[in-house]
Amino acid sequence: MNDATGQRSLRIPTFDDVLAAQARIAGKAHRTPVLTSRTADEQAGATLFFKAENLQRVGAFKFRGAYNAISAIAPDIRRNGVVAYSSGNHAQAIAHAAHLLGVPATIVMPHDAPAIKAQATRGYGATIVFYDRYTEDREAIGRRIAAETGASLIPPYDHPDVIAGQGTAALELIEDVGPLDVLVVPLGGGGLLGGSALAACALSPDCAVYGVEPEAGDDGRQSLAKGEVLHIPVPKSIADGALSTHVGYHNFPILQDKVEGIFTVSDAQLVETMRFFAERMKIVVEPTGCLAAAAVLNGIVPCSGKRVGVILSGGNVDVATFARLLAAE
């Protein structure tokens, strides 16, 4: 959204919207497992519960919000299709959800998006429009396509139904393991963090919710400190799913009200965490998906002696990149 759009009346989602999303996606999204590791617990000095959204459909939590948002559109409008912009996981999620619902989808993706994500997006039947993330405005491109085609624009995080859908991951986590002392969530544009905060504060009121960004892109932390949504230049990090230039206007009020704080981790810490999951827990987690875990395992988030939920947001990393990152000293 541009600043002018941000000033208009917003529909801020509530926990009731998360519950409605849970009903819509039931039987469509996987109820992903909660994983534990004694080694991770010892390293963090806490009891950790990893919500494995890397095992979700399309390999990321994004399917939850995409399916919820598309299915919430009135059928007569939905037939005009949907358009989205994304570096990868939201792209795949919209493409797959649209395919399941029989809706045409167009995705605006950066030229440097991971090849595995572009291939998967095409494989789900979507049309891709590429752009240069450093010289072109993906939001403007998405709005233009929507205006020309009559398609519904579904942003990756700045949309109430997307936020509500993402919150179902934390909802399931707390339903499965009980109340938490701390919930730590990756932060890009804030859809997952906003939705998770809604669920955690409703189901586990004493739970402290934290977001984690890449060091190079701490727009969320800066925005909370300033009290308004701040825009930054496109950051450069291996966490390609968290390279947003600002958090969403729909989720920012939730972050202000319900999130205790935002931390950052380095690319090197993300690689260490990817290696931990591969070697010790035998799972593939992409760099963005490791944000929350990296902060917990490196002692950045205060959680000693506590019950801690950690969202692993995705596992979509191509094999060559995965091998190269883990092989680096």
Side-chain angles (χ1 to χ4, degrees), residues 16-185:
D16 284 342
D17 294 307
V18 179
L19 292 175
Q22 184 180 44
R24 284 195 192 99
I25 70 173
K28 302 300 181 181
H30 296 324
R31 190 179 183 99
T32 52
V34 178
L35 307 179
T36 59
S37 164
R38 185 177 64 182
T39 302
D41 288 355
E42 291 173 352
Q43 184 170 329
T47 302
L48 308 183
F49 302 97
F50 297 104
K51 180 62 169 170
E53 286 296 289
N54 55 313
L55 302 179
Q56 184 54 260
R57 295 185 83 155
V58 308
F61 75 97
K62 292 284 191 177
F63 181 80
R64 297 174 180 273
Y67 193 90
N68 185 54
I70 297 175
S71 60
I73 300 171
D76 59 327
I77 299 174
R78 194 163 65 199
R79 68 170 61 98
N80 293 326
V82 294
V83 60
Y85 41 80
S86 168
S87 63
N89 284 341
H90 182 63
Q92 294 174 79
I94 289 289
H96 190 30
H99 175 74
L100 292 174
L101 290 163
V103 176
T106 300
I107 311 295
V108 180
M109 295 186 74
H111 287 291
D112 59 353
I116 188 174
K117 295 182 179 181
Q119 291 168 3
T121 299
R122 282 201 188 95
Y124 292 126
T127 299
I128 297 179
V129 174
F130 286 106
Y131 78 103
D132 186 325
R133 74 163 86 224
Y134 299 105
T135 63
E136 296 181 283
D137 183 346
R138 68 180 190 173
E139 299 177 25
I141 296 170
R143 288 193 298 270
R144 174 179 56 78
I145 294 171
E148 292 174 351
T149 64
S152 298
L153 180 62
I154 303 179
Y157 52 84
D158 203 359
H159 188 293
D161 293 323
V162 169
I163 296 166
Q166 318 305 27
T168 62
L171 172 63
E172 291 176 3
L173 171 60
I174 297 170
E175 285 180 342
D176 286 348
V177 306
L180 297 169
D181 300 312
V182 177
L183 177 65
V184 191
V185 184

Side-chain angles (χ1 to χ4, degrees), residues 211-234:
V212 184
E213 300 176 295
E215 278 184 354
D218 66 338
D219 53 290
R221 184 169 66 171
Q222 291 186 51
S223 295
L224 281 190
K226 186 72 179 293
E228 62 183 85
V229 176
L230 297 181
H231 293 236
I232 64 171
V234 177

